[in-house]
Amino acid sequence: MMKKTKLLALLAASISMPSLADTQIIHAGTLLAVPGEKPLSQQSLIIKDGRVQEVKAGYINAADVGDDAKVIDLKDSFVMPGLMDMHVHLQGELGPNNDSERLRMSDADVAMQSAHFAKKTLMAGFTTVRDLGAQSPQHIYALRDAIAKGWLDGPRIVASGGVAVTGGHGDVDGMRHDLLEKYTSKTICDGPYDCRRATRRAIKFNADVIKITSTGGVLSDTDTGTGQQMADDELREVVDAAHALGRKVASHAHAAEGINAALRAGVDSIEHGSYADKESIKLFKKNGAYLVPTLLAGDTVKQMAEKSNFMSPAIKEKAIRVGGDMMDNFSKAYRAGVNIAFGTDSGVSRHGINAEEAVLMTKAGMSEMDVLQSATVNAAKLIGQSKTLGTLEPGKYADIIATNGSPLADIKELLDVDFVMKAGKVYKL
């Protein structure tokens, strides 16, 4: 009986009171409710049933809201919407043991690791992510659904299904022939109508978004470069099929011809965009598509290639070349007024350090406010969820983070987030 009583007491103590209350009040010393607008001082956020109910000037009393209201004191903090990362890979992390891990880890092991990486991402202040590629899409869909049901702690996940051409980036590589046969996905395609089939199949199996690879990639263990790989007619069929079924399309693309072909086909975002040219910028602006820059991935692979020996010669050459060029090309796109949505390619870099992308973006010349906007307002627009995410306005989910200092003064404040709330539940305080 004593053991049971102690256990119940421990369980009660482990749950933060703010996460249990129907109504919560956050006293925010500085509040950036809408990134892109001026932050306000001494504000109160009233949160009910996981959503922002009202924002009021001054520090209101709990008694003014209701007997069950709980106050969260962030008077000494900078408070803003939860961050959003538009390009992650929660099922893995790049390193020298990847080949052996793939052979030794079961699907169940990978699922458990993915849950671990999801929790790290949430605790870093990223309350929504777009997962753009997994060894097992069905396991990412299961993780997405488990988090949505409250079974696991993690960010809200928009999960992709991948469509790629045979032998291209997105197909399996670097293995003996029987393993290539075993691991080849049923959404690998050839020709426009087969790619239409693959797109529909990915959506049938529960993809929220379609990820394609219009060019070669750095981490493909093949000497096929980073030029265009999906043909124009294949790209058009994927985009048309996805849009017809209510799904957006994200295209991995490095070389300009592949970027431009994907944009002409009507994709919603370009991932990496390493060698975007003048035509690319015109197409971005004409179509309203977003660039998701993933500067952290470029910096990571370049450093790994220069400081370690586990990469093959084909990968190492691409990592040094592309990783070294991404910053300057991103800077040109930003200055030209291209829509930017925050994305890291985490999984290439370590999970939980996503905010280092923000530091690199400012080094490339992006203003601190524009960085915050890219990770909130713009990201919400890209995934079509502006009505519920991206700002702290009445009716929207209470996805909220806080830092000691202002990231508008020093973007590195995002590297150490002190408070995390998602949909009204406190995960870090």
Side-chain angles (χ1 to χ4, degrees), residues 121-273:
T121 302
L122 176 63
M123 298 303 280
F126 288 81
T127 52
T128 300
V129 300
R130 200 173 53 152
D131 190 290
L132 289 186
Q135 296 176 31
S136 173
Q138 289 304 136
H139 285 81
I140 284 296
Y141 305 155
L143 178 64
R144 170 197 64 194
D145 296 345
I147 291 170
K149 292 172 182 176
W151 297 351
L152 294 171
D153 292 344
R156 192 176 290 101
I157 296 174
V158 176
S160 75
V163 175
V165 295
T166 299
H169 187 65
D171 197 359
V172 289
D173 51 49
M175 303 176 188
R176 67 183 197 234
H177 73 280
D178 56 328
L179 292 179
L180 290 175
E181 293 283 358
K182 175 180 175 60
Y183 289 116
T184 297
S185 168
K186 292 181 180 179
T187 56
I188 296 300
C189 61
D190 290 291
Y193 305 123
D194 192 33
C195 289
R196 179 197 292 174
R197 173 205 58 80
T199 303
R200 289 172 173 171
R201 180 181 178 87
I203 295 169
K204 172 183 176 178
F205 283 86
N206 225 358
D208 297 315
V209 61
I210 296 299
K211 160 75 176 300
I212 59 174
T213 50
S214 61
T215 76
V218 170
L219 295 179
S220 290
D221 195 9
T222 53
D223 193 11
T224 52
T226 53
Q228 184 174 346
Q229 291 182 347
M230 291 188 81
D232 290 10
D233 57 355
E234 292 170 330
L235 291 166
R236 286 194 299 270
E237 284 294 339
V238 170
V239 172
D240 288 349
H243 285 177
L245 291 172
R247 300 298 190 274
K248 294 192 175 188
V249 180
S251 178
H252 156 106
H254 287 295
E257 65 267 24
I259 295 170
N260 298 342
L263 288 170
R264 284 193 295 268
V267 299
D268 301 281
S269 69
I270 293 290
E271 313 300 306
H272 319 305

Side-chain angles (χ1 to χ4, degrees), residues 69 85 99 320 354 382:
D85 190 331
D99 288 345
I320 293 171
N354 310 55
L382 173 55

Side-chain angles (χ1 to χ4, degrees), residues 17-47:
M17 288 304 294
S19 69
L20 288 174
D22 290 331
T23 303
Q24 300 155 77
I25 303 167
I26 292 179
H27 289 163
T30 302
L31 176 65
L32 182 64
V34 182
E37 297 183 3
K38 184 179 179 181
L40 301 173
S41 298
Q42 298 185 5
Q43 300 289 301
S44 292
L45 282 162
I46 303 170
I47 298 157

